[in-house]
Amino acid sequence: MIGKMISATFIFKPKKSDAEFLALDQSIETFVENHPEYLGKDSWANENKGELAVVYYFATMKGLEELKNQVDHKMAKSKYSEWYAGYQVVIAEVVRHYGDGRLDHPTNKG
């Protein structure tokens, strides 16, 4: 188990994408994936609700705080209603994880 791992789940209902959205999204993903606190991510789709979810894992809260203050992330948040019909963010501390270890998962790293 990794101590104090943080998960940030971004649940959203997509509305539309455009060139600005795609550029911001790519910039944010590049920032996250190159951050030293980043451990990996999962993504899920709920086809019945038309919602998507991305779960980012960070070693500590520091990575999440730095993402929150990233310029393109702030821009995307200010214009979210153009691209999403709704969203929810859930921040959690991973207190336990277990399995047989055969899945390549962020919680199995470290």
Side-chain angles (χ1 to χ4, degrees):
M1 173 157 171
I2 300 169
K4 299 214 178 199
M5 177 188 285
I6 301 297
S7 68
T9 305
F10 178 51
I11 305 162
F12 58 100
K13 189 169 196 167
K15 191 162 48 171
K16 69 169 189 152
S17 297
D18 58 22
E20 181 182 21
F21 170 83
L22 295 174
L24 289 169
D25 187 56
Q26 183 59 53
S27 172
I28 294 163
E29 283 294 313
T30 298
F31 175 85
V32 169
E33 290 175 358
N34 289 296
H35 196 283
E37 295 279 322
Y38 175 72
L39 299 172
K41 71 180 177 182
D42 287 317
S43 58
W44 308 98
N46 182 329
E47 293 177 14
N48 291 333
K49 290 183 171 184
E51 295 175 353
L52 303 172
V54 181
V55 184
Y56 296 95
Y57 297 92
F58 293 93
T60 69
M61 196 67 174
K62 179 182 176 187
L64 184 58
E65 289 297 323
E66 290 179 7
L67 169 60
K68 190 171 84 174
N69 293 315
Q70 196 252 8
V71 173
D72 285 340
H73 186 257
K74 285 182 173 184
M75 173 64 77
K77 282 183 69 175
S78 74
K79 300 180 80 174
Y80 82 89
S81 63
E82 293 181 30
W83 304 307
Y84 301 125
Y87 79 94
Q88 184 75 25
V89 177
V90 178
I91 310 300
E93 183 177 337
V94 177
V95 296
R96 183 178 317 142
H97 63 85
Y98 57 90
D100 64 9
R102 293 187 290 168
L103 294 180
D104 180 19
H105 192 267
T107 56
N108 291 333
K109 298 175 183 167

